[in-house]
Amino acid sequence: MTEIASERDEATILLVDDNAQNLKVLYETLKDRGYRLLIANEGEKALALAERHQPEVVLLDIMMPGMDGYEVCQRLKANPITADGAVVFLSALDDVDAKVKGFSLGGADYISKPFQAQEVIVRVATHARVIQLERELQARNRQLENDQTRILNAISEGIYGLDTEGQIIFANPAAVAMVGLASEELVGRNFFQLHFGTPDAETDDLPALSTCREGVAEHQREVRMRRSDGSVFPAEYRSSPKLEDGQVLGAVVVFRDISSELESEKALDEARDTVATQRDQLAHASRLSTMGEMAAGFAHEVNQPLTAISNYVRVALRMVAADEIDRQLARSTLEKIEAQSHRASEIIRRIRSFVKKPATGKEVITVAALLEETRQFAEVDARTNQVAVELDVSAAVPDVLADPIQVQQVALNLIRNALEATRSAKSTEPVHVAARLVNRDFVRVEVTDSGIGLPENAEEKLFHPFFTTKQEGMGIGLALCRSLMHAQGGEIGFDRPHGGGALFYFTLPVAQVTAGQPQETIQ
């Protein structure tokens, strides 16, 4: 007899007994309790039903003709499809050996005949619920494993699971692709020997070794890792310890090939160097252009001391030709010749310094000295525009770290613009140059004029290339100034003073000089 007695969504219970009366009693006991009941009167049919329906509980009579309950239980447990069901033996045998044998074959419980209905109900309910919970747990674990597998397969970084000795116990597909070995070939290999050609016993500084041994997390970049064919690739890796109750069980290593990334970084560095070189060349060309604009003024500036020297020399010659030499007058004349020579020499030195290409880069600069030299350099423009330049730099302003020639170029550019703007407005107010510490890290230099100011819509474009408010301007001066300031680590900007005119400023980083550190200072 084989029969599906009822259809339920709840647990499935298989009733197996060769005695029809027993089956009827069991059926009557368990019906209407939310179970799907299956019944079988011999072993083979019971096995077939169990494989087809995977019952949570099998109430199994031991003493049956042909295949007894022990063999049925043994075969149920040997079959992966039916192995997780709870087998509850039913038997009139009440000796200990019979029960021990049943449990040894995988039985979960034992009910003696004649059984009590309430006992059967309670035990079946308990076992059914336990099996259901176990199956739900297994299903969730399988789902989590599937999710984990999908995630690991989707990750582009290689992932290894290592034990404390560095043996690979897991490798994801990305690791397989990067190393060039199949997953089954990777598992069991030693991570240190495979990728660094060195057993961990020979060195203490292998990547991830301290993670495997001591649980110390690591992160390194540009580590040279070997592939299976002996080729080497640069890698970035992170290793995290696997811990259980505070004990280190190994490490999880996540790594990636950064060959393309390093090539991109190298190309970017080369591009930056090219831009810096072009910027320096443009700055140099701009200084030469400035010198061209100021050439007439400087020629006049140098001619003055040379003329004075010539005059003093003629005076000296007349004194030498006299019968008696006035030594005091001769000394005074020669001192004036020396002073005028020094003046001419200083003018030429400033010109040569300004137009030369900077060779040493950034230096520690005293701001007041640099601005005073720039003011002297702008004296020719100041006289041409009939506008003075006033300098206001407190002694408390700290030194800055920058390229002195390029900073002087920016300052001179702003001062010359201010002089021209002031003259255009027919103002006689001097151009004001000030410097102050705006915070502990930067010094701000301001150049303020008394011109007509800038149009309202000029601020956003002011430092853009080829934008100019001058009729004859090319629009590269302020754009170049901004590039030079960025190269110094500072900023350049524009404000509108309350009294009119324009205020341009730039900032420079304060020099961080430690005691005993050598420094070269412009003073």
Side-chain angles (χ1 to χ4, degrees):
M1 179 177 65
T2 301
E3 181 180 347
I4 298 178
S6 61
E7 292 289 347
R8 302 284 185 179
D9 294 332
E10 301 297 335
T12 299
I13 312 298
L14 174 59
L15 312 176
V16 185
D17 199 315
D18 62 317
N19 186 309
Q21 184 60 34
N22 288 340
L23 285 175
K24 181 178 180 182
V25 172
L26 288 171
Y27 176 79
E28 293 296 331
T29 301
L30 297 173
K31 75 175 184 179
D32 300 329
R33 294 191 175 277
Y35 302 127
R36 183 172 64 163
L37 297 177
L38 309 177
I39 56 178
N41 61 353
E42 50 93 11
E44 291 291 350
K45 293 175 182 176
L47 292 173
L49 278 176
E51 183 165 332
R52 190 185 313 160
H53 299 283
Q54 295 92 49
E56 279 80 1
V57 180
V58 179
L59 291 178
L60 179 59
D61 183 28
I62 294 178
M63 301 303 293
M64 293 188 297
M67 185 186 302
D68 64 14
Y70 292 133
E71 184 177 353
V72 173
C73 178
Q74 192 172 21
R75 292 177 62 176
L76 286 173
K77 294 301 176 183
N79 187 342
I81 298 176
T82 59
D84 68 337
V87 175
V88 179
F89 288 110
L90 301 170
S91 178
L93 300 176
D94 199 21
D95 61 282
V96 174
D97 291 341
K99 294 180 179 178
V100 170
K101 183 179 179 179
F103 289 132
S104 67
L105 293 174
D109 205 349
Y110 192 95
I111 299 176
S112 299
K113 290 181 179 179
F115 45 77
Q116 299 296 318
Q118 288 301 317
E119 180 183 11
V120 171
I121 292 170
V122 170
R123 295 200 179 194
V124 166
T126 300
H127 289 294
R129 184 57 182 158
V130 169
I131 296 301
Q132 283 183 321
L133 291 175
E134 288 180 350
R135 289 181 175 179
E136 290 176 4
L137 181 59
Q138 290 171 359
R140 290 177 184 175
N141 288 339
R142 285 194 295 272
Q143 182 63 42
L144 289 174
E145 289 174 358
N146 291 337
D147 292 343
Q148 184 181 32
T149 299
R150 283 195 293 272
I151 292 171
L152 291 175
N153 291 344
I155 292 176
S156 59
E157 286 88 354
I159 301 177
Y160 284 141
L162 307 180
D163 65 12
T164 55
E165 300 302 318
Q167 298 298 116
I168 298 173
I169 57 178
F170 168 80
N172 75 333
V176 169
M178 268 188 273
V179 178
L181 287 175
S183 178
E184 55 272 20
E185 294 177 291
L186 276 175
V187 173
R189 300 283 291 270
N190 184 274
F191 171 77
F192 308 112
Q193 182 70 50
L194 174 63
H195 288 301
F196 305 101
T198 305
D200 60 341
E202 295 183 4
T203 179
D204 293 330
D205 58 355
L206 285 173
L209 178 60
S210 60
T211 307
C212 292
R213 298 284 178 78
E214 303 165 14
V216 179
E218 291 183 8
H219 175 209
Q220 288 194 46
R221 198 166 184 271
E222 294 191 48
V223 174
R224 310 290 292 179
M225 294 181 67
R226 293 175 183 270
R227 295 188 180 90
S228 61
D229 60 2
S231 61
V232 177
F233 65 96
E236 179 179 15
Y237 81 93
R238 294 179 185 273
S239 60
S240 304
K242 291 191 300 182
L243 302 173
E244 185 173 309
D245 298 330
Q247 182 181 1
V248 179
L249 301 180
V252 175
V253 178
V254 180
F255 64 102
R256 61 192 180 94
D257 186 342
I258 58 172
S259 301
S260 300
E261 192 173 310
L262 292 180
E263 290 177 2
S264 299
E265 290 177 358
K266 182 181 178 182
L268 182 59
D269 288 341
E270 291 175 350
R272 285 173 176 161
D273 291 342
T274 301
V275 170
T277 301
Q278 292 175 344
R279 184 197 61 224
D280 292 343
Q281 292 174 343
L282 180 60
H284 186 231
S286 177
R287 289 198 295 276
L288 293 178
S289 175
T290 301
M291 284 296 96
E293 296 171 1
M294 300 172 71
F298 277 114
H300 177 71
E301 191 77 4
V302 174
N303 191 52
Q304 283 186 336
L306 292 178
T307 301
I309 291 170
S310 177
N311 292 335
Y312 288 133
V313 167
R314 282 196 291 273
V315 171
L317 289 173
R318 284 199 297 272
M319 284 190 291
V320 171
D323 294 336
E324 293 185 4
I325 299 176
D326 185 341
R327 294 183 178 278
Q328 181 62 33
L329 180 59
R331 180 181 295 107
S332 174
T333 303
L334 292 175
E335 287 174 351
K336 290 177 180 177
I337 292 173
E338 182 186 21
Q340 293 299 327
S341 300
H342 180 73
R343 179 185 171 191
S345 175
E346 275 297 300
I347 294 171
I348 294 171
R349 183 192 65 77
R350 286 201 297 270
I351 293 173
R352 293 183 61 185
S353 174
F354 187 74
V355 299
K356 76 176 183 180
K357 288 186 177 179
T360 55
K362 295 182 180 179
E363 302 171 0
V364 177
I365 303 171
T366 299
V367 177
L370 185 76
L371 293 179
E372 171 57 25
E373 186 168 279
T374 308
R375 186 192 66 79
Q376 294 175 11
F377 207 58
E379 281 182 348
V380 174
D381 277 286
R383 282 195 288 273
T384 301
N385 292 286
Q386 297 183 332
V387 177
V389 178
E390 286 186 353
L391 200 60
D392 179 15
V393 182
S394 166
V397 174
D399 292 346
V400 297
L401 183 65
D403 183 317
I405 300 301
Q406 294 188 348
V407 173
Q408 192 176 54
Q409 182 174 356
V410 173
L412 180 62
N413 193 317
L414 297 183
I415 290 172
R416 294 186 70 211
N417 287 346
L419 290 170
E420 293 175 4
T422 303
R423 186 193 61 180
S424 299
K426 302 185 184 307
S427 172
T428 58
E429 292 294 322
V431 168
H432 191 70
V433 180
R436 57 187 172 87
L437 184 66
V438 291
N439 55 47
R440 57 181 299 179
D441 297 321
F442 286 92
V443 168
R444 171 165 158 150
V445 177
E446 298 176 344
V447 178
T448 309
D449 64 50
S450 301
I452 61 174
L454 294 174
E456 290 294 334
N457 59 352
E459 296 181 24
E460 295 182 357
K461 305 174 184 176
L462 200 54
F463 295 96
H464 290 185
F466 310 116
F467 175 80
T468 180
T469 58
K470 301 178 182 178
Q471 291 184 348
E472 300 178 353
M474 296 179 61
I476 61 173
L478 289 179
L480 178 60
C481 287
R482 183 174 67 172
S483 177
L484 294 178
M485 281 299 102
H486 287 174
Q488 311 307 316
E491 295 289 340
I492 188 168
F494 166 79
D495 282 337
R496 295 182 183 277
H498 294 298
L503 184 153
F504 284 87
Y505 67 86
F506 60 86
T507 62
L508 295 168
V510 172
Q512 303 296 326
V513 181
T514 59
Q517 178 178 334
Q519 57 174 304
E520 185 175 351
T521 306
I522 300 296
Q523 291 182 335

